[in-house]
Amino acid sequence: RKVVATEMSKSSVALARENVALNNVTNVRVAKLTAEDFVEVYEGTRKFQRLRDACIDIPPQHKQQPLIDTPLSLKVSVNEKSAAELQNEKVMTFDRLRTLFVDPPRAGLDETCRRLASQFERVVYVSCNPETLARDCKYLSRTHDLTRLAAFDQFPYTPHLEAGVVLEKKKITSIKC
C-alpha cells in the first residue's frame, strides 16, 4: 500500500516528512496541497509542481462533473525536503486512491468534500464535533455503510469529544427476476 498525505501548512508538511524519514517509511509521500488543490489533481483538471517536487504522481482518478463549487476543508499532514533528498527518491505513482482520511475543522466537511468522499471505497473520518460528524455520515450513508465507530475522551472534565468512524462503500447486489 502507498499513502499520499496533503496538508496546507508548510510547517506541518515539513514535520510529517521528517517523521516519515526518521521512521524509515518508504511508502508515504507528503505534499503541501489544500483540499481544493487535491480535488483539482484528483479530477485531472490541474497539475502542481509541488507534487512533482515531492516525487508524487497522481493520474486523474475520476472523470465526472467537477467537484469544486465551495471552499474545502480537508486535512492531512506533510513536510518539505531538500532538493538533494528528493533527487534520491523515486517518483511514486498513486494510480488508484481507495481510502480517504479526513480530519476536518469543527464545521465538518463542506458539500464538495462530502461529494469527493462519496467516491472513495473507504473513508476514515476523525471529528472533534459529533454533530457535524453525524450530518456528514448521514450524507455519506447514501453511498457508504458505517462499519466502525470509536469515541475518545481526550479532554476529561470538558464537554469535548473526539470520534472516529470508518465508512465502507456499499456493495451493489444484482436483483434476479
Side-chain angles (χ1 to χ4, degrees):
R1 295 185 187 227
K2 300 182 280 188
V3 176
V4 60
T6 65
E7 167 60 58
M8 56 191 258
S9 163
K10 189 174 183 177
S11 61
S12 293
V13 169
L15 289 171
R17 287 182 179 162
E18 181 180 350
N19 192 23
V20 166
L22 288 172
N23 288 287
N24 297 314
V25 176
T26 60
N27 66 332
V28 174
R29 294 287 188 274
V30 182
K32 183 181 180 302
L33 278 184
T34 65
E36 293 90 350
D37 294 342
F38 178 80
V39 170
E40 290 181 305
V41 169
Y42 185 81
E43 293 178 335
T45 59
R46 189 165 173 206
K47 295 194 179 275
F48 289 88
Q49 184 62 42
R50 288 171 279 172
L51 288 176
R52 286 189 289 274
D53 292 346
C55 300
I56 297 171
D57 175 34
I58 302 176
Q61 302 288 312
H62 235 296
K63 293 292 184 190
Q64 68 171 42
Q65 68 183 36
L67 293 170
I68 292 187
D69 59 10
T70 58
L72 297 180
S73 57
L74 286 179
K75 183 180 175 185
V76 184
S77 301
V78 268
N79 171 8
E80 296 295 326
K81 288 189 178 184
S82 71
E85 288 174 311
L86 288 172
Q87 284 179 342
N88 293 329
E89 287 190 25
K90 261 180 29 179
V91 171
M92 190 176 289
T93 300
F94 297 87
D95 52 358
R96 185 147 190 270
L97 299 175
R98 295 183 183 130
T99 302
L100 178 68
F101 174 88
V102 292
D103 183 4
R106 290 193 63 75
L109 299 176
D110 63 23
E111 177 64 24
T112 303
C113 292
R114 286 191 295 266
R115 285 192 293 150
L116 173 69
S118 71
Q119 297 177 40
F120 281 78
E121 291 175 26
R122 178 180 300 117
V123 178
V124 179
Y125 189 132
V126 175
S127 176
C128 62
N129 185 341
E131 292 163 354
T132 57
L133 174 63
R135 179 203 65 206
D136 294 342
C137 285
K138 182 177 179 181
Y139 177 95
L140 291 170
S141 70
R142 295 183 281 184
T143 55
H144 289 73
D145 291 317
L146 194 150
T147 58
R148 296 180 192 260
L149 168 68
F152 307 93
D153 187 7
Q154 294 181 315
F155 309 101
Y157 310 107
T158 73
H160 299 289
L161 177 75
E162 294 283 324
V165 299
V166 175
L167 299 133
E168 305 274 349
K169 194 79 153 175
K170 290 185 181 205
K171 304 277 189 262
I172 299 173
T173 57
S174 59
I175 300 172
K176 294 183 180 182
C177 297

